[in-house]
Amino acid sequence: MTKNTTNTTYTKKGAADGTAQEGARFMGTVLVTSGTGKTGRRVAERLAALGVPVRAGSRAGEVPFDWQDESGWAAALDGTEAAYVAYYPDLAVPGAAGAMAAFGRVAAASGLRRVVLLSGRGEPQAAVAEEALRGACGEVELTVVRSAFFAQNFSEGALLDSVLGGELVFPAGSTAEPFLDIDDLADVVVAALTEDGHAGAVYELTGPRSLTFEEAAAELGRAAGRPVRYVPVSGPAYAEVLEGFGVFGPEAGFLAELFATLLDGHNSATTDDVKRVLGREAKEFTAFTREAARDGAWHG
């Protein structure tokens, strides 16, 4: 799919503290899927700060929502007007397109007005899932947010233990990646959920600077106050590393193959979509590392 091909007008409203968007017009109840996850939690917090009613859906939460159990989706959507869709584990996995088509049909039948979908940047199979949702949701307004590699993967995600252990083992070679701060992503998602002018848009979100994983490791080490060394490995070798951490074999293989596909250089360029939506620059990776260190991310 051609990226950023819509003629949507971008809004430029943003809160001074970067935690919530000003000028929100949409006040209906919003279902936040994966509401306890890294992105869902941040989106829910920002919506609540705006006074927007939030229904945080998760498998074990007050509002049951399980991507593997379609029977609960209609109840979770009942009475809502918008939804943030973060599919677990990834839009590129087999079966994701079918799940998106099914969710789109349920969303359309429930009278949902607006959907914001989290997707992966440069993931061909994720684009297939995007189209499945778009084709099934009828008149529901759809905005797609394609994200670069999360900076927070180093501070609260899969690579936290690697940073703490001093060796960042990953199959990225010397490829540069424009790491995105999840706070920026959450602000863009909230803007798309609460403001007009985003229907049909496809936003590709990146940080303002591309770094190799070796450069990222050096910055992480400086902020954490401990040496962090990047160790490049092949995809199959990384799958073995994941299995050592208890990741099931097929899932480990899928993740290793996905990372190898995404980190082949085609996603290295930056975009200005964060600024175009929010009216401010995306957060620098250095600023992320300093904030994460200040908040105790690497005190373990």
Side-chain angles (χ1 to χ4, degrees):
M1 175 185 294
T2 302
K3 301 171 182 176
N4 294 323
T5 56
T6 66
N7 293 320
T8 301
T9 300
Y10 295 78
T11 60
K12 296 185 178 181
K13 299 176 180 179
D17 64 359
T19 58
Q21 304 305 311
E22 295 175 349
R25 304 185 185 97
F26 184 91
M27 298 300 290
T29 299
V30 178
L31 171 67
V32 177
T33 68
S34 303
T36 59
K38 286 197 294 291
T39 68
R41 171 173 55 83
R42 287 172 166 84
V43 169
E45 289 171 351
R46 284 159 169 75
L47 290 170
L50 288 172
V52 177
V54 177
R55 184 176 295 171
S58 64
R59 284 181 293 182
E62 183 178 347
V63 179
F65 188 94
D66 186 346
W67 282 114
Q68 305 306 315
D69 184 5
E70 183 181 341
S71 66
W73 297 355
L77 285 166
D78 185 43
T80 65
E81 293 190 45
Y84 170 56
V85 174
Y87 181 74
Y88 180 83
D90 190 274
L91 278 187
V93 304
M100 287 299 98
F103 182 85
R105 291 190 291 269
V106 175
S110 73
L112 202 68
R113 173 183 165 193
R114 184 173 293 175
V115 168
V116 177
L117 172 67
L118 174 63
S119 187
R121 185 177 185 230
E123 293 185 38
Q125 291 306 116
V128 172
E130 293 171 17
E131 285 301 317
L133 177 59
R134 185 175 288 109
C137 66
E139 298 301 312
V140 180
E141 297 177 3
L142 175 63
T143 304
V144 176
V145 176
R146 295 175 178 165
S147 176
F149 196 95
F150 293 157
Q152 276 79 0
N153 284 334
F154 299 111
S155 62
E156 56 186 85
L159 296 176
L160 172 59
D161 287 341
S162 296
V163 176
L164 292 175
E167 285 197 344
L168 185 58
V169 179
F170 209 70
S174 59
T175 299
E177 172 70 13
F179 300 103
L180 175 72
D181 193 288
I182 297 180
D183 289 338
D184 287 339
L185 180 140
D187 285 343
V188 170
V189 168
V190 169
L193 285 168
T194 61
E195 300 173 3
D196 294 331
H198 301 280
V202 177
Y203 297 127
E204 293 212 359
L205 305 185
T206 74
R209 177 170 62 106
S210 294
L211 299 85
T212 66
F213 273 69
E214 183 176 12
E215 292 168 334
E219 294 214 20
L220 290 163
R222 283 192 291 271
R226 66 180 74 202
V228 179
R229 181 173 68 98
Y230 171 53
V231 181
V233 295
S234 67
Y238 187 64
E240 292 182 6
V241 171
L242 291 174
E243 290 180 11
F245 281 103
V247 179
F248 184 56
E251 183 179 356
F254 164 77
L255 289 173
E257 182 178 351
L258 176 63
F259 288 135
T261 300
L262 295 179
L263 296 167
D264 64 359
H266 75 281
N267 281 334
S268 293
T270 62
T271 75
D272 65 352
D273 278 7
V274 169
K275 184 176 181 179
R276 296 172 75 183
V277 175
L278 302 176
R280 61 167 175 78
E281 298 291 345
K283 188 184 295 183
E284 256 279 355
F285 188 78
T286 303
F288 152 72
T289 62
R290 290 172 178 168
E291 291 178 10
R294 180 198 64 202
D295 294 340
W298 301 301
H299 284 176

